[in-house]
Amino acid sequence: MCYSLKRVGLQGAGVVIRPQVSDCHWTDFPSARECIKAGREAALQKIREIHRVMRYGNICQIFSKTRAFWAS
């Protein structure tokens, strides 16, 4: 159920960042620095994609919605 809800929630995302934090539990406060570092590294790997979506994401979404409207 949780997996399905996550998939639905990510459908509208322009960029999905998946840091390797499977060893970090949300209550494991002492390892927070490692989790934050993993998140930062994952975001840096996607930085070009993030910039592209920030620059063109809105335009692409509007275009695809308009195109779908006229195609129906």
Side-chain angles (χ1 to χ4, degrees), residues 16-25 31-43 45-46:
V16 177
I17 300 170
R18 297 180 190 267
Q20 298 298 317
V21 292
S22 59
D23 295 339
C24 298
H25 190 267
S31 65
R33 288 188 193 276
E34 290 87 23
C35 293
I36 292 168
K37 182 179 176 186
R40 184 178 190 279
E41 290 171 2
Q45 290 175 1
K46 297 270 188 161

Side-chain angles (χ1 to χ4, degrees), residues 16-69:
V16 177
I17 300 170
R18 297 180 190 267
Q20 298 298 317
V21 292
S22 59
D23 295 339
C24 298
H25 190 267
W26 69 271
T27 61
D28 189 12
F29 298 111
S31 65
R33 288 188 193 276
E34 290 87 23
C35 293
I36 292 168
K37 182 179 176 186
R40 184 178 190 279
E41 290 171 2
L44 287 173
Q45 290 175 1
K46 297 270 188 161
I47 199 73
R48 286 188 178 161
E49 191 176 346
I50 293 167
H51 282 278
R52 181 185 56 78
V53 169
M54 287 174 63
R55 185 174 296 138
Y56 303 111
N58 242 1
I59 295 168
C60 293
Q61 288 175 359
I62 292 167
F63 177 75
S64 65
K65 286 179 183 177
T66 304
R67 187 170 154 207
F69 173 77

